[in-house]
Amino acid sequence: MTIRVLLVDDQPLLRTGFRLILEAEPDITVVGQAGDGKGAQEQTRALLPDVVLMDIRMPGVDGIEATRRIVREAAPAAHVPKVLVLTTFDLDEYIVEALRAGASGFLLKDVPPDELVQAIRVVAAGDAIVAPSVTRRLLDRFSAKLPSAYEQATPARLDRLTERELEVLRLIAKGMSNAEIAAKLVVSETTVKTHVGNVLTKLGLRDRVQAVVLAYETGLITPGALP
């Protein structure tokens, strides 16, 4: 399967660089580009990309609002594109807002080319990107003042989970993949996928990214807890 990617960034040179990297891969094709959030929404509607590589700070409609519009507009349809947000260190405070808007993950703009390619494949497959090193820096710095999308959430909400599901949620929040969780718990990846699915369903979460945020907001994981 070829992954169709839409590039969204207000800097043409960056879009060109990303395009050269991605189109060198046999399973990825860049179907379009946009220089702002409004263009991203229009191009997504017209081109039906699998993944939208989205910058945050752009003129007019920014990346966060564009992500919210794209996800909301696509949600009733069979084809819902995955949004992978790009950021720089000085924009860390916007990342949680982007994730809550519906993004499937985030990368730093200085990400190595191979990690960019792999991240696109991961989100295209329906998973989410939560890089442990970036998550730690982000949540350690901003967790005390993050605006909450779960204002009514309390640790009691986690009573819906079994002990094993709680353990899996903790490991997800530490940025571990299914394979790493399976190795740590000495179970199969299939079993881990079942536990992850149960966690998301019971807590009403869209993906692993929302699970990470909820784990911090309920105190299941605290800043500095990542290895």
Side-chain angles (χ1 to χ4, degrees):
M1 183 187 74
T2 298
I3 302 171
R4 297 163 54 82
V5 178
L6 173 65
L7 302 177
V8 184
D9 197 295
D10 63 337
Q11 299 182 49
L13 283 177
L14 277 178
R15 296 201 306 268
T16 299
F18 289 140
R19 182 168 199 145
L20 290 173
I21 291 170
L22 298 180
E23 292 203 325
E25 301 298 319
D27 59 336
I28 297 176
T29 183
V30 176
V31 296
Q33 301 183 39
D36 58 33
K38 185 174 184 293
Q41 186 180 9
E42 293 170 349
Q43 292 277 57
T44 298
R45 188 184 302 125
L47 300 173
L48 300 178
D50 300 304
V51 177
V52 179
L53 196 61
M54 180 80 75
D55 186 22
I56 287 184
R57 179 171 286 180
M58 295 181 291
V61 178
D62 65 17
I64 295 174
E65 179 58 25
T67 297
R68 185 177 293 111
R69 293 181 185 182
I70 287 171
V71 172
R72 183 174 59 223
E73 182 175 292
H79 181 85
V80 180
K82 307 296 183 182
V83 180
L84 184 57
V85 171
L86 294 170
T87 185
T88 53
F89 286 120
D90 61 326
L91 294 178
D92 280 347
E93 63 268 31
Y94 297 123
I95 294 303
V96 170
E97 290 303 321
L99 298 178
R100 288 179 177 150
S104 293
F106 64 89
L107 296 174
L108 299 177
K109 280 193 174 180
D110 61 356
V111 63
D114 60 329
E115 292 185 19
L116 171 63
V117 170
Q118 181 59 22
I120 287 174
R121 290 178 179 140
V122 167
V123 298
D127 210 336
I129 289 293
V130 184
S133 60
V134 180
T135 302
R136 176 172 183 168
R137 177 181 286 114
L138 171 72
L139 291 173
D140 280 2
R141 180 177 177 187
F142 293 104
S143 62
K145 57 181 180 181
L146 289 178
S148 176
Y150 301 99
E151 293 181 357
Q152 303 304 316
T154 65
R157 181 181 184 185
L158 303 180
D159 286 346
R160 306 172 191 176
L161 305 182
T162 66
E163 284 301 317
R164 178 48 62 94
E165 288 165 354
L166 275 172
E167 188 173 14
V168 168
L169 177 56
R170 289 189 185 95
L171 298 178
I172 291 173
K174 291 181 179 181
M176 296 178 71
S177 67
N178 285 353
E180 291 168 332
I181 294 173
K184 183 173 182 62
L185 300 182
V186 195
V187 296
S188 70
E189 281 193 58
T190 300
T191 299
V192 172
K193 288 179 182 178
T194 298
H195 288 317
V196 172
N198 289 341
V199 168
L200 299 182
T201 299
K202 288 182 179 182
L203 298 180
L205 304 175
R206 183 183 61 249
D207 53 36
R208 297 167 76 103
V209 175
Q210 288 193 336
V212 172
V213 174
L214 179 61
Y216 275 81
E217 290 178 336
T218 57
L220 187 65
I221 283 287
T222 57
L226 295 180

